[in-house]
Every structure is written in C-alpha cells, then in structure tokens.
Amino acid sequence: MAKSGNAQNRRTIRKPKRKRNTGKIMLWLFLDIIVILVLILVIGWDKGVSSWMVELNRPVVKEVDVTGINSLTACLLQARSGKVVGEMNGETIIYPASMTKMMTAIVAIENLKSLDTKITVPSEIFPDLYAQDAMRAGFEPGEEVEALDLLYGVMLPSGAECCLALADYISDSEEAFVDLMNQKAYKIGMDTTHFCDTTGLHDPQHYSTAHDMAVLLKYCLKNKTFRQIVESSWHATKPTSLHPDGITFYSTVFKNLPDPYVTNGRILGGKTGYTSDAGYCLASFAEIGGREYILVTVGAGENQQHIQDAKTIFERVGQKLNE
C-alpha cells in the first residue's frame, strides 16, 4: 500500500512539470510563427506574397467606359480580383471562335505529364481541316512534335492541327477532350459556356459570353506555362524529321500590334479569333499602373478592329489613373 501511495504521489508531482513544458513549447512555436511572418512581409521571402502586398498599395481603376468601340460586346476585369470594371453586353451569348483555344491549351497543359512528350500529328484530321479552311500552324500529317511546340502552335498561329493532335493524344478523341473542356468551364464558373470542339470552328451549340471568356483567361494566367506562351510574340520549334530547321510561329496578336504600350502600361498578350458568325474577337490582358486587367471584345466587323479596340480600352484604363 505504501509503495502504491508513493507512486501515486510521484505521478502527482510530475503533472505540473509536463504542463509547464507544454506551455513553453507552445510559446516557442508561437514566436517562431511570428518570426516567419515578419520575414515574409519585411524581406519578401515569398515572392508571391511580396508582390501581392506591393500590388495592394497600387491604385486601381474601378470603372471604365467600354462603349463606342468597333466590337459589339466587351468585358473588362481586374485580373487579380475578377471584378468587372467595364462591360458592354458582357453576358450576351457570342461565338468564341479561336478564343476557344485558350481552354484547349490550359486543359492540355494540366493533363500532360511532360511538356517534352513527343506527339504524332494524326494524318486523319487533315481532310476536314482542309475542307473547313481551318487555320494551321504548319505541321504535316504524321509529324512527331514535342507537346510544348504544339501548345505554342495552338496559341500563337492558332493552329487547328495542334489542337486536334493534343486532344487525340490526351483523350484518344476530340469528343472526349471536349468533355474535359466543358468540365473545366463548369468548375471555374463559366456559367454560360458550352464547347463542341477544340478549335472554335462554328457550331450553333458552341457558345460563350465575353464575361465567361474573361473568366477563362483569368484562370489561365495563373499557369506559368500558359503565361509564358501567351506573352510570347514568336516561337521557334525544335527540329523534326519533316521540318529539320523547325518552324517559327508569330503571335496573331503581336504581329498586328506594333506598339503594345498605352498610358501607364502595356498590353502583355492575348488570343485572337475570327469566324464569319463571331466576327473578329480578342481576349487580351495588360499591365497598367502595376496592376493587370483582362479585356475580351467580340464582334468587330473588320480585321484589326479588335486590336484597335483593345488599345482604345486599355488606353482609357491608363488615362483613368491620371485623373
């Protein structure tokens, strides 16, 4: 009994000691967290957080007039927040034409195991592309191409064969790949969008809105590979057996935009589109006053009017900062 009582006393004495040690550990953990937060905020240890803090202190344009342009619809967003700061028929149903290829590219990027993967461009896709006079990047039937070069071919020269080659490799068919595109559209909040193909060739059931296309570009720009591609004015592919010197692509945006600069900023990139039903379209983005803005315009009647509209609207954003 005595031994049992002594053991009990010893256990009773030890309990406060364990509590004091726990308290010290918790205190040190708390102090460590404070030190880490100070490092992040003061010396910019995490560049993402540091740039976010810097942007918070920069002026933001809250409202811009997007009317009086050539296009029939327009939507202007703050890229970080997604807030609409200018809209003209932004929720009206439109045909997205080759702006569709932004979704094709991002779904491909997210489903490829490696950007170095070699992909064969299927021979059977070409008869339909020829018949529909679809835009092509320049790859030939049966050509083996790196995935990254196909992605550049999708975005810069708007190559339909690149879209179909990626879709066939990733999903075994364009139809199955389009299912992934529609799933992604639903997931990121493109509430009034439905895709029927990877290229944007006209189909009455292939539709979207200017606002949804802006939401898509906002999502895509978070991906480093997509951003690298869409900001490029040109790209030289690696040599293949059919193109031993490679192919040089030029952006359909930048080749028609000799001066990307606007007041307080510049246009960084984008994706054009055109069909006779859609008109001339452009999803673009610019850095102005240290902040990024996304603009989608649809329905311009003549070539290059969509580029002019982007310059006009982004110029208005820059001028707003001077008011």
Side-chain angles (χ1 to χ4, degrees):
M1 294 294 292
K3 287 182 179 180
S4 177
N6 289 339
Q8 184 177 0
N9 289 339
R10 284 196 296 274
R11 285 195 298 271
T12 303
I13 291 170
R14 287 171 184 158
K15 285 182 180 179
K17 186 175 181 179
R18 285 198 298 270
K19 287 182 179 179
R20 285 196 296 271
N21 288 341
T22 301
K24 288 181 179 179
I25 290 171
M26 293 301 294
L27 177 61
W28 281 111
L29 285 173
F30 177 75
L31 290 174
D32 286 344
I33 291 171
I34 293 297
V35 169
I36 290 170
L37 289 173
V38 169
L39 286 172
I40 290 173
L41 297 175
V42 174
I43 66 174
W45 176 70
D46 183 326
K47 292 183 179 179
V49 173
S50 177
S51 63
W52 177 74
M53 293 297 292
V54 170
E55 183 164 321
L56 281 178
N57 294 320
R58 287 173 174 156
V60 59
V61 173
K62 297 181 179 180
E63 186 175 1
V64 178
D65 178 14
V66 298
T67 63
I69 58 176
N70 301 293
S71 300
L72 301 177
T73 69
C75 184
L76 177 68
L77 301 183
Q78 294 174 8
R80 185 175 291 278
S81 69
K83 180 182 177 182
V84 176
V85 294
E87 195 167 32
M88 179 181 66
N89 304 320
E91 299 293 347
T92 300
I93 295 292
I94 56 94
Y95 299 120
S98 285
M99 293 190 298
T100 299
K101 291 166 184 166
M102 296 189 296
M103 180 62 88
T104 304
I106 194 64
V107 170
I109 290 168
E110 293 179 349
N111 284 275
L112 284 165
K113 292 182 179 179
S114 171
L115 297 175
D116 297 332
T117 300
K118 294 289 184 69
I119 297 174
T120 300
V121 182
S123 300
E124 60 269 21
I125 67 175
F126 283 86
D128 281 346
L129 295 182
Y130 296 148
Q132 296 180 78
D133 196 26
M135 289 287 293
R136 298 184 300 279
F139 294 117
E140 300 293 340
E143 188 166 1
E144 192 176 60
V145 184
E146 282 198 1
L148 183 60
D149 287 337
L150 287 174
L151 288 166
Y152 272 100
V154 169
M155 291 297 296
L156 269 59
S158 208
E161 83 276 28
C162 302
C163 299
L164 295 173
L166 287 164
D168 182 75
Y169 176 82
I170 292 168
S171 299
D172 294 326
S173 71
E174 184 180 25
E175 292 78 10
F177 189 88
V178 169
D179 286 341
L180 296 180
M181 294 168 62
N182 283 316
Q183 291 170 25
K184 178 62 70 176
Y186 176 79
K187 184 176 181 180
I188 67 176
M190 298 173 69
D191 299 327
T192 317
T193 294
H194 181 260
F195 296 114
C196 294
D197 55 57
T198 60
T199 59
L201 290 169
H202 182 68
D203 185 307
Q205 297 304 311
H206 186 102
Y207 58 81
S208 187
T209 67
H211 178 262
D212 274 10
M213 283 289 112
V215 169
L216 172 58
L217 182 52
K218 176 181 181 295
Y219 175 81
C220 291
L221 290 175
K222 296 176 184 177
N223 183 281
K224 291 181 180 179
T225 300
F226 183 95
R227 180 178 280 268
Q228 170 190 320
I229 294 169
V230 77
E231 289 185 352
S232 301
S233 59
W234 63 278
H235 173 74
T237 71
K238 290 185 178 179
T240 70
S241 59
L242 297 179
H243 288 97
D245 296 324
I247 304 174
T248 300
F249 300 142
Y250 295 94
S251 165
T252 57
V253 174
F254 287 113
K255 74 178 183 180
N256 293 312
L257 183 67
D259 179 14
Y261 290 93
V262 296
T263 299
N264 291 314
R266 67 186 181 95
I267 299 172
L268 299 177
K271 181 70 191 77
T272 60
Y274 171 77
T275 66
S276 58
D277 294 276
Y280 289 91
C281 316
L282 175 62
S284 58
F285 64 109
E287 182 180 358
I288 302 173
R291 288 181 181 268
E292 288 189 355
Y293 297 85
I294 290 169
L295 174 67
V296 174
T297 59
V298 184
E302 297 181 13
N303 191 17
Q304 298 196 34
Q305 286 184 337
H306 51 331
I307 305 291
Q308 296 168 10
D309 288 347
K311 285 277 286 187
T312 297
I313 299 303
F314 286 132
E315 182 66 28
R316 290 177 188 175
V317 175
Q319 289 173 355
K320 275 280 185 180
L321 294 176
N322 292 339
E323 293 180 357

